[in-house]
Amino acid sequence: MDKIIEGIFAVDKDHKQKLVLIQTLKPHLSKVDVVAGQKIISLCLDRLSDDTIPSVRSLSSHVLSIMFQAYPDRVITGLAQDEHNNREYIMLTSKLIIRSINRPDISFQEGKKIGEMLYNNKQLMFSATDIRTIIVQLHKSKHWFNNTSTWLETYFYYSGLTDQKFDVSEQSVFTSDQVSLVTILKLVASKLAVGDLSLAQGSILSNIKDRTIVETASQEFLTSLSDSDISKCFDNLLDLQTQGLVLSHWIVALMKCLSSKKRYMLVIQLSERIVESLLDNSTSCLSTDSLELSCQLLLLHQHSPFLFHRHFTRLLSMESEECVKKTMQSMMLKYPHFGRLYGKTRNTSMFPWFELQNMLANFNLTSNRGVGFNNMGNTCYFNSLIQAMWLSVPFQMDVIFNRVDSSILSELRRVFLNLSYSVRQSFSPDTLFHVVRPPWFAFGSQQDSAELLRHMFDLISSGSGSSGTQPANPLQEGLAGGRDLGSLESSKYRQYYTANKDVNTESQPSQIITKHFQGVQEVTIVCDTCGTASSKEEQFLFLSLPCGKEPTSLEALINRSLATEELNQENQYHCETCANKSDAIRKTTLNKMPNTFIFTINRFSYDKELKCRSKLLTKVQIPALLRFSSDSGSTFSIATTNTTDASKDVSYQLYGTVVHSGSTTESGHYYTYGVPSSYSSPSVLNHCLCFNDSRVTYVKEDLVNCPRGSMDTPYLLFYQQLPCELPPLDLEVGELSEILNSNLRWLQQQVQDPGANQTGSKFPEPPPKDDDDDKSEFYSRGCHSNDFAAGSSRFIY
């Protein structure tokens, strides 16, 4: 056979004739020796580049395919050395590469040449099955390539040509070292920039889970990308997520990155798009990761409740999932003003609110901590009180839902809605301040929060400020003025709310105060001389409890105020029956318990020697749960462990504490600790919020142990009667329009001017100096602040 081959090459014939003769020897070509074989291979390779005679190229390709059976590495080596762009070369090379890869005895040299061709020649043509074969082979053939980057680029290129998803466990080899990781991330970034990351490439990305790497890479991904490119990137990731990849950690990290660059409007649009895509299809079965991603974006979408409400019914159908249950409970606690929409779902056991803070902290994200008040000149006594009143959710909701003809309640309603829904860090409630400030309170000087509370209750109860006509609702100005809500257009969500037509939402101002804060106590005086008893019922809105110099507890102070008192000597009782002064016994009982019980701990004492008032820094132990028993059925007292019938007990949960900081009664600073009263339960009060004028911070401390400073003493205590039931009412959609429009304007403003003022659009600018700086001349009267970390913006991330 070798001599025949020699003869063919010796005769004077053209290349085509020689190839025809060689082809006739097809059954015997595998038996030729190396020299003859190399001659045939060289001839074929040489003619494969002949562009003038297609039939010669076709013959050459056919003969090389036959010779590959005997000399695969020589054929592959030759093809690698002489690359051509004609169809015969590309088709032959593609076919022989697959045949080589499928051979169990492929040599190292042959593999090197295959790797070289796969890396250099992107014109090779492979079927979907062939690409899968190549990817599987590349996974275990890193040694075919000169360096890691070349191998990864080749793998990444071919993985982009398939729509198949690979087992994530197979992909760890691609991120096992720093060089591999950097290379892969660069390749991913180039694909994401044009929204062209394939399923196989995405499976590599999904396996990169290290939080630091993900967040750092996310910053790099979005560098210099336009909004449209970023939108393509998220669409690409969302498409891969819906196909079963786990990419939620990347989506959240990219969202966080956008937020850090203050591209808030883009974050809103993208998060809405993702949630809509994942939750809108009621027939689809979401993966656990996609469901958790939807819940995370809903939790973090805190500038508006509408997205959550739009998908409330869909979420309700999946409430058995733990992440859905927690999300729904958290959002219902955050936005309690939609009771009709929530129905009985809201009455289930609530998810501890502080766990939401922990969940968001796992993603290094900022949660909705609350809105602060700017200090308008020693107004901390006012700020702390209004913030504590807002924490009383039943009262807050009554103020919001009742259309009362009262300028005080109308302005209080406006302030409460801004505290609930604004994304700004703080605003100045100056209108409310001027309405409720007693005329004897000098502006710019420190005053007593308890005295302000009494005066405010008197104003509301008396109906002061009534205009005779229904006041205009300032929150509807945004809708009436024609400003649209952008992606939060109210008409889009109007169908998800039910009007409150069959519920009476109007009541007199006095009824609101009576309903929530009024209790009744009975004072009975018994004359020692004639035994005549005189009783009188007195309404109260809060109890004032004097404390002494010895450490005590709130229960002891209450018992002391209800204890039997002897009236004698200079304090004798004038008995009408005896028509004379006589010794007597006075007894006070609680006959009706208020829904919200407020206590003031009076710490003022008069120093007769110095002839001035001083502040008592006595330690008073504050219980989280306060229980009153009613053994007689008509009067109440502090419950003891041997209460005969616990079913008659009335229990109260602590939800707020107004603290006075300072060593004297004439100066100092007020701030508030607490959580919204609908959040309160014994299991959640080891975390709370601190409202310190414009700063609202998250405190990992037990509410009953706050504050800790020696000069910081609880002054006003707020307790909510249990259980705390909220009215089944929904806010009208338009009523939030001004606030939500204001939120969007502020978020847009952050991109244009990151240092822009953060106060509300309808409220004045804050003072030019730091509102908590007691060292400034403006605040030299004594309103000072403890050293708290500055609160961050309440935006979703």
Side-chain angles (χ1 to χ4, degrees):
M1 180 56 62
D2 295 333
K3 290 182 179 180
I4 294 175
I5 297 298
E6 252 179 73
I8 292 174
F9 277 96
V11 298
D12 186 16
K13 293 183 180 291
D14 59 26
H15 298 303
K16 183 176 181 179
Q17 291 174 325
K18 290 180 180 180
L19 288 170
V20 171
L21 290 172
I22 294 172
Q23 187 181 15
T24 61
L25 302 173
K26 177 180 177 181
H28 310 287
L29 288 179
S30 61
K31 301 176 183 177
V32 299
D33 63 12
V34 175
V35 175
Q38 186 60 52
K39 283 183 179 182
I40 296 173
I41 292 171
S42 297
L43 172 65
C44 293
L45 289 171
D46 185 48
R47 292 303 91 200
L48 199 59
S49 62
D50 191 339
D51 294 331
T52 60
I53 310 175
S55 59
V56 172
R57 296 200 304 270
S58 180
L59 276 170
S60 300
S61 174
H62 183 64
V63 173
L64 279 174
S65 181
I66 296 171
M67 294 303 297
F68 179 81
Q69 298 178 15
Y71 302 103
D73 35 343
R74 287 178 180 269
V75 174
I76 290 295
T77 300
L79 290 172
Q81 290 173 345
D82 301 312
E83 292 189 3
H84 308 294
N85 294 326
N86 59 64
R87 184 175 183 277
E88 288 77 12
Y89 172 84
I90 292 173
M91 294 295 291
L92 174 66
T93 305
S94 302
K95 180 175 69 173
L96 295 185
I97 284 175
I98 297 302
R99 286 172 61 181
S100 289
I101 289 176
N102 286 327
R103 287 174 43 243
D105 59 341
I106 183 172
S107 67
F108 173 74
Q109 188 61 34
E110 186 180 351
K112 292 278 287 184
K113 293 300 179 182
I114 290 174
E116 184 181 329
M117 286 190 287
L118 290 174
Y119 177 73
N120 291 325
N121 196 338
K122 299 302 188 291
Q123 293 181 321
L124 297 174
M125 301 172 65
F126 300 104
S127 67
T129 303
D130 292 342
I131 292 172
R132 171 69 182 181
T133 301
I134 290 172
I135 293 174
V136 171
Q137 184 62 45
L138 287 175
H139 183 270
K140 53 188 177 183
S141 301
K142 184 177 180 180
H143 58 283
W144 285 1
F145 297 83
N146 294 328
N147 55 63
T148 300
S149 296
T150 303
W151 167 62
L152 285 171
E153 288 178 36
T154 305
Y155 180 91
F156 198 78
Y157 171 77
Y158 284 98
S159 64
L161 301 179
T162 179
D163 58 357
Q164 293 184 343
K165 180 177 67 173
F166 299 136
D167 186 354
V168 171
S169 62
E170 297 177 2
Q171 310 304 321
S172 58
V173 64
F174 301 111
T175 57
S176 58
D177 59 81
Q178 189 67 21
V179 174
S180 300
L181 183 62
V182 171
T183 303
I184 280 293
L185 290 176
K186 287 181 178 178
L187 294 169
V188 168
S190 65
K191 286 289 187 177
L192 282 178
V194 294
D196 193 30
L197 194 69
S198 75
L199 195 62
Q201 293 167 337
S203 66
I204 301 175
L205 188 64
S206 69
N207 192 47
I208 303 174
K209 299 185 181 297
D210 183 273
R211 179 172 160 181
T212 303
I213 294 173
V214 170
E215 292 183 352
T216 303
S218 296
Q219 294 281 350
E220 295 294 327
F221 285 175
L222 300 181
T223 302
S224 303
L225 289 185
S226 65
D227 285 3
S228 61
D229 289 337
I230 293 174
S231 183
K232 290 178 184 177
C233 166
F234 274 91
D235 285 343
N236 193 179
L237 290 174
L238 177 59
D239 180 57
L240 297 176
Q241 177 80 22
T242 56
Q243 294 184 61
L245 290 185
V246 179
L247 293 170
S248 58
H249 54 301
W250 281 99
I251 292 174
V252 171
L254 288 167
M255 287 287 191
K256 177 191 169 187
C257 173
L258 286 175
S259 181
S260 69
K261 297 178 184 296
K262 297 188 180 295
R263 300 171 80 167
Y264 297 138
M265 296 307 295
L266 186 57
V267 171
I268 291 175
Q269 295 165 9
L270 292 173
S271 60
E272 281 186 349
R273 188 188 308 171
I274 293 172
V275 172
E276 300 279 358
S277 176
L278 294 176
L279 294 183
D280 256 357
N281 188 354
S282 59
T283 60
S284 64
C285 183
L286 288 179
S287 68
T288 300
D289 186 65
S290 291
L291 189 58
E292 289 180 351
L293 173 61
S294 301
C295 291
Q296 288 168 19
L297 294 181
L298 282 172
L299 284 172
L300 304 176
H301 207 264
Q302 297 200 11
H303 65 287
S304 165
F306 289 162
L307 186 64
F308 167 61
H309 292 166
R310 170 170 165 72
H311 298 285
F312 183 83
T313 303
R314 172 80 160 122
L315 291 168
L316 195 59
S317 68
M318 301 181 289
E319 194 182 13
S320 58
E321 298 290 339
E322 187 65 20
C323 64
V324 174
K325 181 180 178 181
K326 289 182 177 181
T327 299
M328 293 185 69
Q329 290 175 344
S330 298
M331 296 300 280
M332 286 187 289
L333 286 172
K334 174 173 171 50
Y335 299 118
H337 309 117
F338 300 90
R340 284 203 162 185
L341 174 67
Y342 302 152
K344 295 181 180 180
T345 309
R346 185 172 63 180
N347 298 327
T348 60
S349 58
M350 289 300 185
F351 174 51
W353 73 280
F354 65 86
E355 289 191 24
L356 172 60
Q357 313 284 337
N358 295 336
M359 288 167 59
L360 300 180
N362 290 335
F363 295 93
N364 206 18
L365 302 173
T366 301
S367 69
N368 181 344
R369 289 176 175 147
V371 184
F373 287 155
N374 297 315
N375 192 308
M376 299 168 286
N378 284 334
T379 57
C380 61
Y381 68 94
F382 163 83
N383 292 349
S384 58
L385 176 62
I386 300 301
Q387 287 161 334
M389 298 297 289
W390 174 73
L391 290 173
S392 176
V393 176
F395 173 69
Q396 172 203 129
M397 295 187 72
D398 239 5
V399 170
I400 288 175
F401 283 114
N402 277 277
R403 308 297 188 269
V404 179
D405 185 11
S406 166
S407 58
I408 296 177
L409 288 178
S410 294
E411 190 58 34
L412 190 62
R413 179 176 189 269
R414 184 186 184 193
V415 168
F416 280 177
L417 283 172
N418 272 276
L419 285 172
S420 300
Y421 294 96
S422 177
V423 298
R424 300 166 189 267
Q425 178 180 326
S426 62
F427 63 91
S428 300
D430 61 330
T431 303
L432 179 63
F433 172 69
H434 289 296
V435 169
V436 302
R437 180 176 64 87
W440 59 89
F441 276 18
F443 183 78
S445 63
Q446 183 63 278
Q447 304 294 341
D448 183 359
S449 284
E451 189 175 357
L452 175 65
L453 176 64
R454 181 182 293 106
H455 180 70
M456 185 170 71
F457 280 165
D458 288 345
L459 286 177
I460 296 175
S461 298
S462 65
S464 177
S466 298
S467 60
T469 59
Q470 187 69 16
N473 182 1
L475 294 173
Q476 294 188 3
E477 293 177 11
L479 201 61
R483 296 189 293 255
D484 71 31
L485 292 170
S487 60
L488 300 176
E489 185 179 3
S490 61
S491 60
K492 177 179 178 181
Y493 301 95
R494 194 177 299 275
Q495 61 180 303
Y496 300 103
Y497 303 98
T498 305
N500 306 310
K501 294 180 179 178
D502 60 335
V503 179
N504 180 17
T505 56
E506 296 188 11
S507 60
Q508 295 301 314
S510 59
Q511 294 175 346
I512 293 179
I513 300 301
T514 300
K515 173 182 175 181
H516 294 283
F517 302 103
Q518 182 175 286
V520 176
Q521 63 182 4
E522 184 178 46
V523 179
T524 301
I525 300 178
V526 180
C527 177
D528 282 353
T529 304
C530 65
T532 302
S534 173
S535 298
K536 180 182 179 182
E537 281 194 343
E538 299 176 350
Q539 284 112 13
F540 66 89
L541 299 177
F542 58 87
L543 288 185
S544 182
L545 306 173
C547 75
K549 296 182 179 181
E550 297 297 324
T552 184
S553 66
L554 179 64
E555 295 97 327
L557 293 179
I558 295 172
N559 282 332
R560 186 188 303 171
S561 71
L562 300 177
T564 299
E565 179 184 2
E566 293 184 359
L567 304 177
N568 50 34
Q569 298 179 0
E570 296 179 357
N571 198 26
Q572 280 187 322
Y573 167 65
H574 181 80
C575 178
E576 294 183 358
T577 303
C578 300
N580 198 4
K581 284 188 175 182
S582 62
D583 291 347
I585 296 176
R586 179 165 60 188
K587 174 70 175 177
T588 302
T589 58
L590 295 173
N591 289 3
K592 179 180 178 296
M593 306 299 289
N595 289 319
T596 301
F597 214 146
I598 304 176
F599 301 95
T600 65
I601 301 179
N602 289 340
R603 297 179 174 275
F604 311 122
S605 67
Y606 184 76
D607 192 317
K608 294 181 180 180
E609 294 182 2
L610 299 177
K611 297 183 178 180
C612 67
R613 291 200 308 171
S614 61
K615 177 182 177 181
L616 296 173
L617 300 176
T618 306
K619 174 68 176 178
V620 178
Q621 185 176 349
I622 310 297
L625 190 67
L626 193 59
R627 201 158 55 90
F628 291 85
S629 62
S630 178
D631 290 336
S632 65
S634 59
T635 62
F636 297 85
S637 59
I638 292 293
T640 61
T641 53
N642 10 343
T643 303
T644 56
D645 187 0
S647 64
K648 297 180 180 180
D649 289 357
V650 178
S651 296
Y652 289 88
Q653 183 67 56
L654 177 69
Y655 69 87
T657 304
V658 174
V659 177
H660 178 264
S661 175
S663 58
T664 72
T665 60
E666 309 300 328
S667 64
H669 177 62
Y670 289 97
Y671 60 94
T672 296
Y673 283 111
V675 296
S677 60
S678 58
Y679 293 7
S680 300
S681 73
S683 63
V684 304
L685 290 178
N686 55 343
H687 299 70
C688 60
L689 297 174
C690 177
F691 295 83
N692 190 19
D693 283 341
S694 64
R695 301 173 181 179
V696 182
T697 52
Y698 173 54
V699 182
K700 294 182 179 180
E701 290 285 351
D702 193 323
L703 181 57
V704 301
N705 291 323
C706 293
R708 292 186 175 276
S710 59
M711 299 293 179
D712 296 10
T713 54
Y715 182 38
L716 293 173
L717 302 175
F718 294 80
Y719 282 84
Q720 180 65 52
Q721 188 176 144
L722 301 177
C724 175
E725 295 187 0
L726 305 179
L729 304 172
D730 282 351
L731 270 176
E732 295 293 333
V733 179
E735 292 181 306
L736 293 178
S737 61
E738 183 189 22
I739 296 177
L740 299 183
N741 275 317
S742 176
N743 288 346
L744 292 176
R745 287 194 299 272
W746 181 79
L747 296 173
Q748 289 173 323
Q749 189 180 22
Q750 301 314 295
V751 181
Q752 301 164 2
D753 181 12
N757 167 50
Q758 298 186 12
T759 59
S761 60
K762 293 288 182 180
F763 298 99
E765 303 291 320
K769 295 183 180 181
D770 180 8
D771 62 349
D772 291 325
D773 186 2
D774 62 318
K775 297 181 180 180
S776 67
E777 181 180 352
F778 187 73
Y779 299 109
S780 60
R781 295 292 298 262
C783 181
H784 66 276
S785 167
N786 289 346
D787 186 18
F788 289 97
S792 56
S793 164
R794 293 175 70 226
F795 185 57
I796 52 181
Y797 296 98

